[in-house]
Amino acid sequence: MFYKKIFEILKRAVSHLPKVTGDIAIYGLGGSLMQVVGLVTIPIITRILSSTEVGTLDVVNATTNFIHILLALHLVTGLMRFFYEVSENSKQDRKKMVSSVFWFTLMFSIVIVGFVALFSQKISTMLFSSGIYSNAIILATASIPFAAIKEIFASALRMQRKPVKYLIINLLHAIISFGLILIFILRFNQGINGYFTAQIISGIFVTIISAWYCRDLLGFTFSKKWFADIASYSLPMLPGGLLNWGMMSINRILLTQYTTETQIAYYSVATKTSKVIELAVSAFIMGWLPVFLANINSKSFHLKLDKVFRYYVYATISLSAFVTLFAKEFFYILAPTEYQVGVPLVALLCLKQALTGSTYTYTVGITQTKKSYFVSISTGIGVIGTILSSLLLLPKYGIFGAAVADVIGIFIYTLLMLIFSNNLVRLELNFKPIVWSILGFLIFWIISINLSFGNLYLDFMFRLVLLVIFLIILFV
């Protein structure tokens, strides 16, 4: 009875939202809930686990993110692309699409998890010069199949415009995951292994719920035709996905060779502070992508993308400025005082997140022509830029050099995506305000980290005035 009541309340709330705004709000909120859990648990984890353990957790997460991409093969992206290729009345075709992706992912998951379990000692030794974290790597990898399968069904709900069910499964996932993490770390004192055990249990539960919601699209069937179409679109994006992981996470792996797990923990908390931007960007992408794909062939829609691009940049840069200027306060909330070393990194990591999401506002050419290999090319060159920058900067500048290298790689990637896509389908975009807003943000960041006052009240007011001045310049 209580469940039905919540369902009805959410349904009525969604019905009062404008279509596009509602999509961005509901799908964005639902898709970001697990990231919120990651952010909320940080103050607990950093105060229960040592900084070395926090750094180790971050490296294991970065490694398993790579495995997740390899396991999922970007098939969900292909599923979303072809879901609209058939009419809403063609339920059998859609059932074949979803079922084919599901069964392949399930079988492939068994192979990947088994392979990682077999070589977990070697992976742990390669990352940490010790096999002590092999169990953590196995547990982290074992949670991936449930996340991948749940994402298949969640995407199907998005494509069918069922926001309430989509929100419910993500809400349940977030609540259960958060509760179990607290139980395993605080109550049972299981440390890193407990963190990943909680992910497995919550993943199993939510996968079952999401499969039930999509039961009309799931059957004992496998379509070679639809799977071939989906795979032919998705697989060329796999190198790009793996390379994108390289841009977003390779520095965690490289840092293990140049610094300590403690320093990586400081970098990790700076990254978690920039999660505010990542959450906003993810919310935008989750709601915007179905609208973008549904109108990809509309020329009138193309004319509106300049405004979408500018508004996106203004919004994310404004939020980045807020997070940057008050990064000290965020750090006090998220971690003990020793982590304050990472405060200067926040602006660069916020900018990295903002730039990454911007590609979803202008890549009409690549999406419309289905030339997804340009994503891989752009990402590959971006990763090369990240790695080369890292090799130059990490030995001398450590985690600060890693943040700079991240921004360099992402900038190269977004610039190439823009060039390639605009050559395929030209959009009329005004770049001048975009460039000035980013340069202005960097100037205010430099001022904020080089000027401070001993008096806490005066320092707070100075940063507040700095933020107001920046926002006035940006919008007026």
Side-chain angles (χ1 to χ4, degrees):
M1 191 74 179
F2 177 75
Y3 170 82
K4 288 183 177 180
K5 195 170 184 180
I6 294 295
F7 187 91
E8 288 301 320
I9 291 171
L10 288 172
K11 195 171 183 179
R12 283 198 300 270
V14 171
S15 67
H16 286 91
L17 290 170
K19 190 172 180 54
V20 176
T21 304
D23 284 347
I24 293 175
I26 300 301
Y27 295 120
L29 175 62
S32 302
L33 284 171
M34 282 306 293
Q35 296 182 63
V36 172
V37 169
L39 190 61
V40 171
T41 54
I42 279 294
I44 300 167
I45 290 172
T46 54
R47 288 169 173 86
I48 299 297
L49 304 180
S50 67
S51 56
T52 299
E53 288 177 306
V54 173
T56 301
L57 180 65
D58 197 53
V59 173
V60 173
N61 272 324
T63 305
T64 52
N65 284 343
F66 177 87
I67 299 170
H68 189 164
I69 296 167
L70 185 62
L71 185 151
L73 296 174
H74 272 277
L75 292 176
V76 167
T77 306
L79 176 63
M80 292 176 70
R81 179 65 184 87
F82 285 95
F83 202 85
Y84 291 122
E85 291 288 310
V86 296
S87 67
E88 291 185 13
N89 296 323
S90 303
K91 286 189 176 181
Q92 273 306 113
D93 283 319
R94 289 183 171 180
K95 184 174 184 177
K96 289 177 182 178
M97 290 182 201
V98 174
S99 298
S100 300
V101 173
F102 165 75
W103 289 115
F104 178 87
T105 301
L106 180 63
M107 295 298 105
F108 192 51
S109 295
I110 296 171
V111 175
I112 294 294
V113 173
F115 181 84
V116 171
L118 189 63
F119 293 98
S120 60
Q121 285 278 344
K122 291 184 178 180
I123 296 171
S124 178
T125 302
M126 182 179 66
L127 293 173
F128 307 107
S129 301
S130 169
I132 192 172
Y133 296 111
S134 60
N135 286 338
I137 291 169
I138 293 172
L139 289 170
T141 305
S143 70
I144 295 172
F146 304 108
I149 292 170
K150 173 242 174 185
E151 186 57 31
I152 294 170
F153 297 129
S155 297
L157 291 174
R158 285 173 61 197
M159 293 300 99
Q160 295 176 93
R161 298 293 172 89
K162 294 182 177 179
V164 175
K165 290 181 178 180
Y166 178 85
L167 183 58
I168 286 174
I169 62 172
N170 283 284
L171 187 60
L172 286 173
H173 198 185
I175 293 171
I176 295 169
S177 180
F178 179 70
L180 289 173
I181 287 171
L182 293 183
I183 291 170
F184 279 100
I185 291 181
L186 292 178
R187 178 69 179 83
F188 298 132
N189 197 29
Q190 291 294 304
I192 295 173
N193 289 349
Y195 179 90
F196 292 118
T197 302
Q199 301 283 37
I200 293 172
I201 297 172
S202 62
I204 292 172
F205 181 82
V206 176
T207 298
I208 293 171
I209 297 296
S210 58
W212 174 257
Y213 277 155
C214 293
R215 61 191 181 278
D216 58 327
L217 292 175
L218 184 61
F220 292 98
T221 181
F222 187 91
S223 169
K224 291 182 179 179
K225 174 193 176 300
W226 280 118
F227 186 78
D229 287 343
I230 290 169
S232 65
Y233 180 82
S234 302
L235 291 182
M237 300 178 73
L238 178 61
L242 295 173
L243 291 170
N244 188 57
W245 169 88
M247 276 195 302
M248 304 302 287
S249 302
I250 192 65
N251 276 337
R252 306 304 212 297
I253 310 302
L254 292 175
L255 279 168
T256 63
Q257 308 303 311
Y258 291 101
T259 188
T260 64
E261 281 82 9
T262 297
Q263 287 288 312
I264 296 173
Y266 302 155
Y267 184 87
S268 174
V269 173
T271 302
K272 294 298 188 295
T273 304
S274 71
K275 278 276 184 185
V276 175
I277 309 304
E278 186 180 348
L279 288 170
V281 170
S282 296
F284 170 78
I285 293 171
M286 297 294 285
W288 170 251
L289 189 57
V291 178
F292 183 74
L293 293 174
N295 294 279
I296 195 69
N297 297 314
S298 169
K299 290 187 177 181
S300 61
F301 179 73
H302 295 175
L303 296 174
K304 299 175 183 177
L305 292 179
D306 174 59
K307 186 178 289 187
V308 174
F309 182 34
R310 279 187 286 115
Y311 285 178
Y312 168 86
V313 172
Y314 291 162
T316 54
I317 288 294
S318 298
L319 188 56
S320 296
F322 175 83
V323 175
T324 297
L325 292 177
F326 298 104
K328 288 180 183 177
E329 286 72 20
F330 279 104
F331 263 68
Y332 284 128
I333 296 170
L334 292 175
T337 307
E338 68 166 297
Y339 287 81
Q340 288 286 320
V341 175
V343 168
L345 310 180
V346 172
L348 295 174
L349 296 173
C350 285
L351 181 59
K352 166 188 169 182
Q353 298 293 347
L355 288 174
T356 303
S358 69
T359 59
Y360 286 87
T361 64
Y362 55 72
T363 49
V364 170
I366 292 173
T367 308
Q368 189 182 66
T369 60
K370 302 178 185 177
K371 294 184 178 180
S372 51
Y373 56 84
F374 279 119
V375 178
S376 297
I377 293 171
S378 302
T379 312
I381 297 173
V383 170
I384 292 171
T386 302
I387 294 174
L388 291 177
S389 302
S390 297
L391 294 176
L392 287 172
L393 297 171
L394 293 189
K396 186 173 182 180
Y397 299 103
I399 56 176
F400 184 81
V404 173
D406 275 346
V407 173
I408 291 172
I410 288 293
F411 176 76
I412 293 170
Y413 160 74
T414 53
L415 182 62
L416 289 175
M417 287 282 281
L418 176 62
I419 292 170
F420 287 139
S421 192
N422 230 30
N423 282 337
L424 294 170
V425 176
R426 185 164 184 79
L427 299 176
E428 297 299 325
L429 302 174
N430 182 9
F431 298 107
K432 188 175 179 180
I434 306 298
V435 173
W436 279 114
S437 62
I438 294 173
L439 288 176
F441 170 71
L442 291 174
I443 291 169
F444 278 99
W445 164 61
I446 293 170
I447 294 172
S448 69
I449 62 173
N450 285 286
L451 286 178
S452 61
F453 297 88
N455 184 290
L456 292 177
Y457 175 75
L458 192 60
D459 188 59
F460 178 84
M461 291 306 298
F462 167 72
R463 285 180 285 140
L464 184 61
V465 170
L466 204 59
L467 176 62
V468 171
I469 292 171
F470 174 72
L471 294 177
I472 290 172
I473 292 173
L474 182 64
F475 289 102
V476 177

